[in-house]
Amino acid sequence: RERHRDRDPDAGSGIQEQGSGSARPQPPEPSLLSFLVCPLSRKPLRYEEATNELINEELGIAYPIIDGIPNMVPEAARMTHKKPPAEDSEQP
């Protein structure tokens, strides 16, 4: 056991990797995804690996995931598609 104390305490812990600025996005923990819901609709979210976002299909918004941490602030979300035209604005 004493020999282990001579080693770098951060070696292999992943601490150095997070600050390395790697281009590969960090997905959230799978166990975390099972209970995350949209703060606006309270509906489950879908993880999109290609964009590293949590998607609310119903509202058409995507929450970014930064360093493996979902940013669930509604102001941080982006629209994934245009809103459909209002029902009362009928076209001739």
Side-chain angles (χ1 to χ4, degrees):
R1 283 228 181 265
E2 291 299 319
R3 290 188 298 170
H4 293 280
R5 291 184 184 192
D6 294 337
R7 295 182 184 172
D8 181 5
D10 292 335
S13 69
I15 293 173
Q16 294 173 344
E17 292 176 21
Q18 288 180 342
S20 65
S22 66
R24 185 175 176 192
Q26 291 181 330
E29 292 291 324
S31 60
L32 183 67
L33 291 176
S34 66
F35 65 88
L36 281 179
V37 295
C38 177
L40 298 174
S41 69
R42 306 283 192 244
K43 303 277 177 144
L45 298 164
R46 176 181 58 83
Y47 174 63
E48 179 61 48
E49 186 175 5
T51 58
N52 198 39
E53 295 174 315
L54 293 174
I55 310 293
N56 180 322
E57 300 286 349
E58 183 180 309
L59 296 180
I61 57 176
Y63 296 98
I65 299 173
I66 303 165
D67 293 331
I69 302 169
N71 184 347
M72 305 293 286
V73 177
E75 291 81 12
R78 70 172 180 86
M79 298 301 294
T80 59
H81 55 74
K82 294 181 181 178
K83 291 183 179 180
E87 291 181 21
D88 57 351
S89 63
E90 296 177 15
Q91 294 184 5

